[in-house]
Amino acid sequence: RHQISPYRLDYILDVKKLDVCENISEYRDKLERSKAHMWGVLCRNKEHETQHIEFTVHAEDNEGFIYKRLMREKRCGEIEIIDKNTFRFYADVYDINEMIPWIRTFICRIVKMKFSNRSIENQFKKDLEAMYWMYDVKEEVSE
């Protein structure tokens, strides 16, 4: 298809040797440029089609591991230190949905979030509210 597409190795049943790809360096260059916006496996063909995400995390004084974890796991994102216990993660990615499982691990520490894809942000908040309801937590999701 003349594009970069991810395939799960455990789904590949058969491999057939074809001709040598004469323009492999073009595909490698394209992949390297795409990595700047890839969180998971999704690689868009149009590099300018990204979604912006940012969220602010507050850690307690004894939770220095939160900052270390953000730095270790940020992939293509950036971390801004707001104060000694507050950090802002931001990135421009191809698909925010790929990040949701990771973002969930910061629940109870997220003090602010903003997704350019409002439908994903609204679904995330709706899921949080459902969780609060299930566990009988009497708080509302902020920002």
Side-chain angles (χ1 to χ4, degrees):
R1 291 191 260 161
H2 303 289
Q3 65 186 28
I4 298 171
S5 299
Y7 293 97
R8 286 183 47 160
L9 290 178
D10 57 337
Y11 283 12
I12 298 174
L13 301 176
D14 190 27
V15 177
K16 182 171 39 172
K17 185 177 178 180
L18 300 174
D19 295 331
V20 173
C21 180
E22 299 296 334
N23 58 345
I24 189 70
S25 61
E26 291 175 34
Y27 287 114
R28 283 192 177 133
D29 291 344
K30 186 176 183 177
L31 178 61
E32 286 304 313
R33 286 190 310 273
S34 293
K35 282 182 181 180
H37 303 290
M38 289 175 64
W39 183 262
V41 297
L42 193 59
C43 179
R44 295 262 203 272
N45 290 324
K46 296 177 182 172
E47 295 174 34
H48 63 278
E49 290 182 11
T50 60
Q51 300 173 346
H52 184 76
I53 179 169
E54 56 185 72
F55 62 90
T56 304
V57 173
H58 180 79
E60 298 299 323
D61 285 334
N62 63 344
E63 295 181 319
F65 64 91
I66 297 295
Y67 175 73
K68 291 177 185 174
R69 185 173 160 229
L70 282 166
M71 291 302 292
R72 184 179 64 244
E73 298 175 4
K74 67 181 177 154
R75 297 185 193 180
C76 60
E78 297 293 329
I79 308 297
E80 177 184 342
I81 299 173
I82 307 295
D83 63 38
K84 76 175 194 147
N85 291 21
T86 311
F87 318 102
R88 185 172 71 100
F89 170 89
Y90 59 95
D92 293 308
V93 296
Y94 291 125
D95 187 3
I96 293 173
N97 265 323
E98 290 186 309
M99 300 181 70
I100 295 299
W102 180 69
I103 296 168
R104 279 189 196 125
T105 67
F106 294 100
I107 287 175
C108 297
R109 291 185 176 92
I110 297 173
V111 293
K112 184 178 182 181
M113 65 180 161
K114 180 180 172 188
F115 300 2
S116 64
N117 186 325
R118 300 292 289 167
S119 62
I120 296 173
E121 180 178 346
N122 291 336
Q123 184 62 52
F124 184 80
K125 289 177 179 180
K126 186 178 173 183
D127 292 347
L128 277 178
E129 288 172 3
M131 182 189 70
Y132 288 158
W133 181 83
M134 258 193 314
Y135 290 98
D136 199 27
V137 176
K138 305 291 187 214
E139 292 187 29
E140 289 186 27
V141 178
S142 62
E143 295 186 52

